[in-house]
Amino acid sequence: MDIKEIQRILIVGAGTMGQQIGLQCAMHGYQVTIYDIDPAMLETATAQIKTYAAHLVTAGHLSEVEAGAALARISTNGDPAEAAQADLLSESVPEEPELKARVLAQFNQLCPLHTIFTTNTSMLLPSMFAEATGRPAQFAALHFHQVVWESNVVDIMPHPGTAPETVALLQAFAKRIGQIPIVLQKEHNGYVFNSMLSALNRAAISLAAEGVASIEDIDRAWMGVMKTPIGPMGILDVIGLKTAWDITDYWARTLDDPELQKNAVFLKKYVDQGQLGVKTGRGFYSYPDPAYQQPGFLEGE
Ligand SMILES: NC(=O)c1ccc[n+]([C@@H]2O[C@H](COP(=O)([O-])OP(=O)(O)OC[C@H]3O[C@@H](n4cnc5c(N)ncnc54)[C@H](O)[C@@H]3O)[C@@H](O)[C@H]2O)c1
């Protein structure tokens, strides 16, 4: 398959990542259909994508005309059979292995035979779903980073049965949508950047769960030394605390790891209260204008 034959993109899952990946593809000329099992999410996604586009215009990344054209290329569809008429599928449903396998198997029944399947999983391996896709040679992880247009790196992670042509196609596709492709030479939980980030996040959550330091002081320590505008707890708010809990809980159970179990209990308290991070206006911090962006934060004022 030639890169020119990829024209229609199907995004499965209209949450944070599906919205951003959809807009990124549309900004680079692709026709995008977004499908979600929850019709209310399709409305939320449409509104949020408009907000993202407006921010990109304000920030000077897009002209009004370009933003309008990108938005016009995006449609939502609650009918999976109609949505399935695409050349490349990008899956961004929650980080639950059984759910991802079910959704990929569902779309295997609906999509044309040539459709390339990709998963945006954070910590799982494509080999776990290769069979479910029914087209293992045309399947790999294509993993984005938030915010997609700013942190423009994608991991391309094949499983042992992925065809080399699929990897080459995904590399070309990544470049066409303004991303820097990182091709993994073997499967690895957490890819490249996230492997480094998750070690930091785990240490930060453990410090908070153990009550060693306050959330603010954990971030202050990192930001003060590394001179970054955000610390690990703030980053977790951006990732989303439900996603962070899903990942921590999965590995706590899979590895039977007591430190991770404690961290999962700590994160679950926020999830149960609906404090999911930036997307709900409250997580470890309150949004907009979280404390770590205020003058004097590093000084503890
Ligand atoms: N949040 C991040 O920073 C980030 C970064 C990279 C990858 N990821 C991964 O991307 C995936 C999605 O994360 P998110 O933060 O966008 O999650 P999210 O919870 O914001 O969105 C998930 C969406 O999937 C929908 N969904 C649930 N079941 C479905 C089904 N059967 N069919 C179709 N849609 C369904 C939900 O209604 C929801 O709208 C996860 O695997 C996550 O690990 C997240």
Side-chain angles (χ1 to χ4, degrees):
M1 193 176 177
D2 189 83
I3 183 68
K4 292 196 196 76
E5 292 166 58
I6 296 193
Q7 290 172 5
R8 300 161 303 169
I9 311 299
L10 165 62
I11 306 288
V12 180
T16 307
M17 292 310 293
Q19 295 161 11
Q20 293 184 13
I21 298 166
L23 179 55
Q24 183 73 9
C25 293
M27 282 192 305
H28 289 82
Y30 287 97
Q31 291 295 331
V32 174
T33 303
I34 303 182
Y35 165 78
D36 199 287
I37 198 160
D38 178 358
M41 271 314 291
L42 294 178
E43 284 183 31
T44 306
T46 304
Q48 183 58 45
I49 288 171
K50 278 193 189 139
T51 307
Y52 283 140
H55 284 171
L56 284 163
V57 171
T58 311
H61 294 306
L62 280 185
S63 70
E64 292 270 2
V65 173
E66 287 166 337
L71 292 174
R73 286 185 207 106
I74 302 176
S75 60
T76 59
N77 197 325
D79 179 342
E82 283 177 20
Q85 300 315 308
D87 308 308
L88 186 144
L89 175 155
S90 170
E91 170 274 309
S92 277
V93 301
E95 191 78 351
E96 298 161 24
E98 298 77 22
L99 174 64
K100 285 193 188 289
R102 205 166 60 238
V103 167
L104 291 166
Q106 175 193 9
F107 278 93
N108 179 44
Q109 299 297 323
L110 301 172
C111 286
L113 287 177
H114 73 269
T115 310
I116 303 286
F117 275 31
T118 67
T119 175
N120 186 37
T121 179
S122 296
M123 292 295 283
L124 308 170
L125 299 176
S127 56
M128 295 168 68
F129 313 115
E131 213 174 303
T133 66
R135 52 188 83 204
Q138 290 160 232
F139 172 60
L142 180 70
H143 171 257
F144 292 80
H145 297 82
Q146 263 214 82
V147 178
V148 167
W149 35 90
E150 287 167 11
S151 304
N152 62 327
V153 167
V154 288
D155 296 289
I156 297 170
M157 185 160 79
H159 64 91
T162 307
E165 300 78 54
T166 302
V167 175
L169 198 60
L170 290 176
Q171 267 180 292
F173 176 68
K175 287 182 187 162
R176 288 215 169 186
I177 59 168
Q179 298 282 310
I180 301 164
I182 306 288
V183 178
L184 277 82
Q185 292 169 14
K186 59 194 282 196
E187 282 193 309
H188 179 75
N189 289 111
Y191 310 95
V192 174
F193 174 77
N194 271 5
S195 290
M196 300 185 275
L197 180 65
S198 62
L200 172 67
N201 286 345
R202 176 184 176 144
I205 299 167
S206 295
L207 288 166
E210 290 288 347
V212 175
S214 69
I215 281 157
E216 291 78 7
D217 271 349
I218 293 166
D219 279 351
R220 222 170 251 131
W222 188 265
M223 292 163 67
V225 174
M226 298 301 290
K227 300 290 173 258
T228 55
I230 189 167
M233 304 307 276
I235 293 173
L236 283 159
D237 271 352
V238 175
I239 293 169
L241 299 189
K242 167 73 165 56
T243 298
W245 175 76
D246 281 338
I247 294 167
T248 307
D249 181 60
Y250 174 77
W251 287 108
R253 285 185 283 110
T254 304
L255 302 175
D256 201 16
D257 180 319
E259 183 189 342
L260 286 178
Q261 278 158 7
K262 218 168 182 179
N263 288 359
V265 170
F266 174 78
L267 290 169
K268 188 74 176 7
K269 280 187 283 180
Y270 289 86
V271 173
D272 287 346
Q273 288 168 22
Q275 296 187 16
L276 306 187
V278 177
K279 72 175 95 175
T280 56
R282 208 181 155 84
F284 294 130
Y285 296 93
S286 295
Y287 298 87
D289 307 322
Y292 57 81
Q293 286 178 354
Q294 305 308 313
F297 176 73
L298 283 184
E299 292 73 25
E301 287 161 10

